[in-house]
């Protein structure tokens, strides 16, 4: 049993969150229970001021440029917000590119990623004139050359994605910079330099710079240091082999966030200061002429802490000597991260956030999977009853973005709240929405 004095750590909440004298929690000046009653549950609640302040932190810390990693959470309201705050946007598929463009984002503020871009995705990206295409393979360069020959498309600016072969100190599914990765060109076998040489020699595309992303949910900076050291070595080899100066080094994203009270990620400003220092040292050690600007691609560290998810308790099932299951009206369909790689979250009751959390339960979803568990060993008040509202903080990234209709459960609504006003930015799906593609 937890200590009877265990109280939810409100520092896990977004920046406008408040808990009043009787323990009721509000965000953006709006009571969470009132939001749940108006918009239903499950419900994603985003603190708009928190989103904007995190964007501004990145813009200040990385004057070379910031690209929002839209895969973390994407909707028109979100991309308009980040662009208003001075960020560009990166996308990983044609579908993401279409939605971002439909939000009115200029093509020159879009970076296109993806390890298996189709001809159609590349054709659209080049035709509309995106800022950069992140080159991920020689097959992709073949496609670009073929499109230019066949259609006379203007040469795109490419960031060559480099695999530096470093340890990111994160879950294996979130590590992308080791040698065994589906992303990028290896430095160890010479592929990265060969890719740059081919881009420069053929003239089919323009070398915009280098890209490197070592992983996600990273708390330690030594992986970034090692990656920048190796990028500095590659810049020197590029200068020697081609005479070309590298204009940009995109370090990707990956900065971790506080999902639980024990998580301790570095602040954005401290992280930025360290990687800028590491880059200067790496370039200086190689004696290169290039002075590339350092850019970054945050997603999780902007979106995740700014939101929480609200659920209603539908069933409480004690199993003597085993555990108590508290089942809610969502689950892996709105947050698959716990099932995918054991992600951990906190939980609390928004109507009595300061109450002692004196029982341990497992918060389960409503899906037909034993693995549909949102929070194992969650601490909640012992007076919890069916109908109570339960919230999980820090769910703004890779929740709605990875949501599904498993068991034909509609995806939740999403609201942005700010200064006492709630704005519905994604409506709740209906049964008819889910059936609309069925031709039977």
């Amino acid at each position: 049993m937890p200590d009877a004095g265990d109280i939810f750590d409100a520092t896990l909440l977004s920046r406008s969150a408040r808990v009043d004298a009787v323990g009721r929690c509000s965000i953006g000046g709006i009571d969470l229970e009132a939001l749940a009653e108006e918009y239903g549950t499950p419900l994603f609640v985003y603190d708009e001021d928190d989103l904007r302040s995190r964007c501004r932190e990145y813009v200040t810390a990385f004057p070379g440029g910031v690209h929002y990693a839209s895969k973390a959470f994407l909707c028109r309201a979100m991309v308009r917000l980040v662009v208003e705050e001075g960020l560009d946007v990166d996308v990983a598929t044609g579908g993401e590119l279409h939605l971002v463009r439909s939000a009115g984002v200029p093509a020159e503020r879009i970076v296109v990623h993806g390890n298996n871009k189709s001809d159609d995705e590349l054709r659209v990206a080049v035709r509309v004139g995106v800022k950069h295409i992140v080159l991920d393979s020689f097959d992709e360069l073949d496609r670009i050359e073929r499109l230019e020959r066949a259609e006379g498309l203007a040469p795109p600016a490419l960031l060559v994605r480099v695999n530096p072969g470093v340890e990111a100190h994160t879950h294996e599914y979130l590590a992308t910079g080791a040698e065994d990765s589906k992303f990028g060109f290896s430095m160890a076998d010479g592929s990265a330099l060969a890719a740059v040489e081919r881009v420069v020699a053929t003239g089919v595309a323009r070398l915009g710079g280098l890209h490197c992303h070592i992983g996600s949910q990273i708390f330690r900076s030594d992986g970034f240091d090692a990656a920048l050291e190796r990028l500095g070595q590659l810049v020197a080899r590029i200068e020697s082999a081609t005479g070309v100066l590298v204009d940009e080094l995109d370090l990707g994203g990956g900065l971790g966030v506080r999902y639980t009270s024990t998580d301790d990620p570095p602040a954005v400003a401290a992280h930025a200061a360290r990687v800028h220092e590491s880059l200067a040292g790496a370039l200086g050690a190689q004696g290169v002429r290039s002075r590339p600007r350092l850019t970054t691609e945050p997603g999780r560290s902007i979106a995740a802490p700014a939101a929480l998810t609200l659920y209603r308790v539908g069933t409480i099932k004690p199993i003597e000597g085993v555990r108590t299951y508290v089942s809610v009206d969502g689950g892996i369909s709105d947050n698959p991260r716990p099932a995918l790689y054991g992600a951990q979250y906190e939980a609390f009751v928004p109507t009595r956030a300061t109450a002692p959390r004196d029982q341990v339960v497992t918060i389960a979803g409503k899906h037909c999977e034993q693995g549909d568990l949102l929070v194992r060993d969650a601490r909640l008040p012992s007076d919890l009853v069916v109908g109570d509202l339960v919230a999980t903080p820090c769910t703004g990234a890779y929740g709605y973005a990875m949501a599904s209709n498993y068991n034909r459960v509609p995806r939740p609504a999403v609201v942005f709240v700010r200064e006492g006003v709630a704005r519905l930015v994604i409506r709740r799906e209906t049964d008819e929405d889910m059936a609309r593609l069925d031709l039977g």
Side-chain angles (χ1 to χ4, degrees):
M1 293 290 290
D3 186 279
D6 181 272
I7 304 295
F8 170 66
D9 180 1
T11 65
L12 291 169
L13 297 174
S14 60
R15 293 170 179 176
S16 76
R18 300 290 183 269
V19 178
D20 68 17
V22 297
R24 293 186 72 94
C25 183
S26 64
I27 292 179
I30 305 180
D31 182 81
L32 293 181
E33 178 68 47
L35 285 170
E37 290 175 0
E38 180 172 359
Y39 296 104
T41 54
L43 179 67
F44 287 97
V45 180
Y46 281 81
D47 181 341
E48 185 171 337
D49 281 334
D50 190 298
L51 288 171
R52 291 184 181 276
S53 67
R54 293 180 189 279
C55 288
R56 292 167 190 162
E57 283 180 355
Y58 267 106
V59 170
T60 300
F62 287 89
V66 184
H67 312 138
Y68 172 65
S70 66
K71 63 181 180 177
F73 171 59
L74 177 60
C75 69
R76 292 188 182 102
M78 184 64 180
V79 295
R80 287 170 180 151
L81 182 152
V82 299
V83 169
E84 286 172 6
E85 295 299 339
L87 282 67
D88 293 341
V89 182
D90 87 50
V91 300
T93 66
E96 289 181 350
L97 176 59
H98 174 79
L99 190 138
V100 170
R101 292 184 65 217
S102 77
V105 178
E108 62 270 19
R109 298 189 66 175
I110 302 173
V111 177
V112 176
H113 279 268
N115 68 298
N116 187 26
K117 305 177 190 71
S118 68
D119 281 2
D120 285 343
E121 288 172 325
L122 288 169
R123 183 180 293 109
V124 171
V126 176
R127 280 180 174 172
V128 302
V130 298
K131 179 180 181 180
H132 290 306
I133 295 174
V134 180
L135 183 68
D136 202 271
S137 68
F138 288 111
D139 286 337
E140 184 178 312
L141 191 52
D142 290 341
R143 293 188 188 106
I144 292 172
E145 290 175 348
R146 186 169 62 248
L147 286 169
E148 187 182 47
R149 286 194 303 268
E151 304 186 24
L153 299 178
L158 303 182
L159 295 180
V160 176
R161 180 158 182 171
V162 174
N163 184 335
V166 301
E167 172 59 55
H169 303 292
T170 188
H171 191 283
E172 62 177 310
Y173 292 174
L174 303 181
T176 57
E179 285 300 324
D180 186 4
S181 173
K182 72 175 187 176
F183 298 104
F185 296 91
S186 170
M187 286 184 62
D189 68 3
S191 297
L193 179 58
V196 172
E197 288 178 319
R198 181 172 160 187
V199 170
V200 172
T202 62
V204 170
R206 294 174 287 117
L207 180 66
L210 303 176
H211 180 282
C212 170
H213 177 70
I214 63 173
S216 298
Q217 189 57 2
I218 301 171
F219 290 175
R220 292 173 50 176
S221 297
D222 45 354
F224 293 110
D225 295 338
L228 286 165
E229 180 181 1
R230 297 183 187 184
L231 285 171
Q233 295 167 1
L234 180 57
V235 169
R237 295 188 190 117
I238 291 170
E239 284 190 6
S240 176
T242 68
V244 170
L245 300 183
V246 176
D247 292 331
E248 179 177 341
L249 289 180
D250 187 330
L251 192 56
L255 192 63
V257 300
R258 289 186 73 220
Y259 285 110
T260 70
S261 297
T262 58
D263 291 334
D264 187 24
V268 171
H271 166 67
R274 175 154 178 173
V275 295
H276 277 98
E277 182 180 356
S278 293
L279 176 59
L283 297 175
Q286 298 300 319
V288 297
R289 292 181 295 135
S290 296
R291 286 297 179 264
R293 66 185 183 279
L294 186 64
T295 58
T296 189
E297 292 175 355
R300 181 194 312 269
S301 55
I302 289 175
L308 54 70
T309 310
L310 300 177
Y311 301 100
R312 287 285 181 198
V313 175
T315 301
I316 300 175
K317 182 184 293 184
I319 304 176
E320 185 66 33
V322 180
R323 71 176 66 243
T324 295
Y325 285 100
V326 173
S327 295
V328 297
D329 51 359
I332 56 174
S333 58
D334 59 75
N335 189 357
R337 295 185 68 252
L340 282 176
Y341 35 77
Q344 297 182 342
Y345 291 87
E346 298 272 4
F348 72 104
V349 177
T351 54
R352 44 194 191 281
T354 55
R357 300 186 302 169
D358 48 4
Q359 70 167 331
V360 176
V361 304
T362 290
I363 301 176
K366 65 180 294 170
H367 299 280
C368 294
E369 301 286 341
Q370 178 57 32
D372 179 23
L373 306 176
L374 288 168
V375 188
R376 295 176 183 267
D377 299 326
R379 289 171 167 82
L380 292 175
S382 58
D383 62 353
L384 187 78
V385 296
V386 170
D388 268 342
L389 194 65
V390 171
T392 53
C394 204
T395 55
Y398 304 106
Y400 193 90
M402 299 175 77
S404 74
N405 293 129
Y406 181 49
N407 289 146
R408 289 292 179 171
V409 171
R411 283 176 289 188
V414 180
V415 296
F416 281 13
V417 293
R418 187 184 194 190
E419 298 178 349
V421 176
R423 177 165 59 112
L424 185 66
V425 298
I426 303 177
R427 68 167 173 83
R428 188 176 307 280
E429 277 187 315
T430 66
D431 291 342
E432 188 57 38
D433 287 331
M434 292 186 289
R436 69 189 182 280
L437 301 181
D438 194 327
L439 302 180

